[in-house]
Amino acid sequence: MLALAPDLVAALRAAVPGGVLTDPVDLIAYGFDATFFEDTPPLVVLPTSTAQVSAVHRIATAHRAAITPRAMGSGLSGGAIPLAHSIVLGVAKMNAILEIDEIDRVAVVQAGVINADLQNAVERRGLFYPPDPSSLKQSAIGGNVAENAGGARCLKYGVTGDYVLALEVVLPDGTVIRTGGRTVKNVTGYDLRRLFVGAEGTLGTITEITLKLLTKPRIARTALAVFDDIEDAANAVTEVLRAGLLPTAIEMIDQFTMRCIEDNKPVGLPLDAAAILIFGVDGNHAAVVDDDLAEIARLTRAAGARDVQVAQTDAEAERLWTARRSINPSLARRRPNRLGEDICVPRRAILPMIRRIAEIRAKYGLELPLYGHIGDGNLHPNLLCDKRNPEEMRRVEGAAREIFEAAVALGGTLSGEHGIGLLKKQFMELDVGVDVLALMRRIKDAVDPLGIMNPGKIFPDPGGVDAFHLPTTER
């Protein structure tokens, strides 16, 4: 770990009194996220205001010191890993819900507000913030915006970026800008909100977010469809959507994943089934919701479901959604490490992608559970492994590469909600092309000419896909 210049540390301590960490024991927790990438930072700064964030940026610029913005570190792409001896700028203490406006239908929050805390606060007022990543009880809104996070309800309601009305951002040199507003319409100039959403902290540090809110639906119901063939489950999704139905969510869980859930915390999933689909349906009129559920049941049975059950109580519904949200910790108990992907393909390519994943699983001899937001084509193939086993990790690399390449070949993309970070950056040119990647670089250079913001993320290192490797693989 590189020691920082004493005058830099002194300047940061003066700018953020009591908010600078240098003890190696404290720093360890800020060197990893939900992947198995690791790089302990030399220093962590924990500001409590936008003014302090701006001061940190100005100091870093003067010293040519790199900055890695960080919310809660729950990301799945390595976006918050501090490379190049970066200072970690953590926004966790900036966790105030500043305003909930029931007339404008907006919430104004600091970047460190936990997603679930915001949802609970607005729902107490009859309002609704739909984006619901599985990490909603741990992840912060600032991180959700930086990665453009998704979740189960995105099938009907869209991803985080669809709810960002305005941002306060500290640019690399410390300049504070506000972009967007709280109006229903705003087409004035370039849409800079979208530039910073999903930029993974490579253009600045997000400090405040104004979010669009909806009216909370009066009724929410859940149904479970059980299949003896995973391909029938995929076809059932196609038929439901072809019929013009738009559930809140359609989640798929394969047999291997169900077994891991039951081994961790039994909820009574049908372990003899090849796959299950969990449907969420919401609305304001019981008759309409019931009609949609009945049609979903008819269509899924026609597609091959052996059983369809509608949860009769909130407790039954919560049991299913708890099972879905427990997948990550359940898989973590299965093997020491896992590489979780979030490819997204067009709906007509869902079945071909599932078949391709099965081929890759067999080719590389890996445990490869499959689940995800199948209704919008966002699949989560997970590669379970032990990073201490070099031979196994080489197989994981090969399988991950083929999964990425297959998704792009089928008209899909590398990431539906996790972001690019470190994990997928070597495949960026494959996905977006040479010219688009070059334009992204020019934007980065224009906003961050010194290259101090979250270095090493999004943009590939020399060598492209052939240079893809996982950090623990022996060479």
Side-chain angles (χ1 to χ4, degrees):
M1 184 172 63
L2 183 69
L4 296 177
D7 58 335
L8 169 60
V9 177
L12 292 171
R13 290 191 188 281
V16 188
V20 176
L21 306 180
T22 57
D23 189 312
V25 174
D26 293 329
L27 300 178
I28 291 172
Y30 295 88
F32 59 88
D33 61 1
T35 67
F36 48 77
F37 291 94
E38 295 180 31
D39 202 335
T40 303
L43 180 145
V44 173
V45 186
L46 301 173
T48 58
S49 69
T50 298
Q52 288 186 346
V53 173
S54 176
V56 171
H57 276 237
R58 290 195 302 272
I59 294 165
T61 295
H63 287 80
R64 303 297 194 267
I67 297 171
T68 294
R70 180 184 179 94
M72 298 304 294
S74 61
L76 288 160
S77 67
I81 304 300
L83 302 183
H85 310 294
S86 295
I87 296 167
V88 167
L89 198 168
V91 298
K93 290 186 176 182
M94 299 175 63
N95 59 358
I97 298 175
L98 301 173
E99 181 183 3
I100 298 173
D101 190 316
E102 298 174 34
I103 296 176
D104 285 347
R105 289 290 200 268
V106 301
V108 182
V109 302
Q110 290 184 306
V113 169
I114 300 299
N115 183 301
D117 291 343
L118 173 63
Q119 293 200 24
N120 291 335
V122 301
E123 288 182 18
R124 285 194 292 269
R125 302 192 185 195
L127 300 173
F128 185 41
Y129 177 67
D132 60 335
S134 294
S135 60
L136 63 91
K137 293 183 179 180
Q138 297 85 36
S139 63
I141 297 296
N144 292 170
V145 173
E147 300 292 345
N148 204 2
R153 295 193 296 229
C154 292
L155 171 61
K156 180 174 182 178
Y157 290 108
V159 297
T160 298
D162 297 315
Y163 293 84
V164 175
L165 292 175
L167 291 173
E168 179 182 79
V169 183
V170 180
L171 298 181
D173 66 358
T175 301
V176 179
I177 67 167
R178 297 187 68 88
T179 177
R182 57 198 295 158
T183 57
V184 175
K185 296 178 180 179
N186 185 337
V187 296
T188 304
Y190 294 154
D191 188 356
L192 296 181
R193 293 171 303 165
R194 291 287 184 176
L195 181 62
F196 291 99
V197 173
E200 303 187 22
T202 61
L203 300 177
T205 300
I206 296 168
T207 52
E208 184 181 296
I209 308 103
T210 301
L211 297 164
K212 176 176 68 176
L213 302 177
L214 306 179
T215 301
K216 181 175 170 52
R218 295 192 186 98
I219 301 163
R221 302 287 299 280
T222 301
L224 171 70
V226 182
F227 294 84
D228 292 323
D229 188 327
I230 195 170
E231 294 195 4
D232 288 344
N235 287 328
V237 172
T238 301
E239 292 308 310
V240 167
L241 297 173
R242 191 202 304 271
L245 298 169
L246 185 58
T248 311
I250 309 177
E251 297 292 295
M252 189 270 289
I253 305 176
D254 76 352
Q255 184 184 69
F256 188 99
T257 308
M258 285 192 284
R259 291 187 180 279
C260 291
I261 293 169
E262 290 295 309
D263 288 343
N264 180 38
K265 188 175 182 180
V267 294
L269 298 177
L271 296 184
D272 60 334
I276 60 172
L277 296 178
I278 302 174
F279 291 87
V281 178
D282 67 8
N284 292 321
H285 303 285
V288 174
V289 171
D290 289 344
D291 285 348
D292 285 352
L293 286 168
E295 184 66 1
I296 288 169
R298 185 186 71 80
L299 291 167
T300 52
R301 286 193 177 99
R306 77 176 194 211
D307 187 27
V308 181
Q309 303 172 14
V310 176
Q312 298 302 308
T313 65
D314 290 344
E316 288 181 21
E318 184 56 28
R319 176 180 66 87
L320 293 173
W321 292 114
T322 296
R324 171 60 183 88
R325 289 191 292 269
S326 72
I327 289 176
N328 287 345
S330 298
L331 296 181
R333 289 171 60 91
R334 174 73 181 186
R335 295 294 307 280
N337 306 104
R338 68 185 182 93
L339 192 65
E341 307 300 351
D342 77 311
I343 53 168
C344 194
V345 297
R347 288 167 177 157
R348 66 174 60 251
I350 292 172
L351 182 53
M353 190 70 227
I354 288 175
R355 289 171 174 165
R356 186 74 187 97
I357 289 170
E359 294 168 357
I360 293 169
R361 179 190 294 120
K363 176 179 177 179
Y364 288 96
L366 294 165
E367 290 187 338
L368 206 168
L370 180 62
Y371 62 96
H373 317 303
I374 192 170
D376 48 32
N378 188 193
L379 300 175
H380 295 321
N382 274 235
L383 299 154
L384 306 188
C385 55
D386 185 340
K387 67 180 181 180
R388 298 167 297 184
N389 183 334
E391 186 278 329
E392 183 177 49
M393 294 308 296
R394 283 190 286 272
R395 286 185 282 131
V396 170
E397 283 185 357
R401 174 172 176 168
E402 292 197 25
I403 288 170
F404 293 145
E405 291 175 335
V408 173
L410 289 169
T413 188
L414 301 174
S415 178
E417 57 186 10
H418 294 169
I420 300 301
L422 294 171
L423 180 57
K424 308 178 187 75
K425 67 179 185 177
Q426 294 307 120
F427 298 87
M428 278 291 285
E429 185 175 310
L430 174 72
D431 191 328
V432 304
V434 175
D435 293 336
V436 170
L437 186 59
L439 177 59
M440 289 182 182
R441 288 186 188 275
R442 291 199 295 274
I443 293 170
K444 165 72 170 170
D445 291 342
V447 178
D448 181 23
L450 298 180
I452 66 171
M453 294 304 305
N454 208 8
K457 314 298 166 51
I458 297 180
F459 299 101
D461 297 326
V465 297
D466 291 331
F468 170 67
H469 67 273
L470 298 172
T472 54
T473 300
E474 291 188 0
R475 295 283 154 187

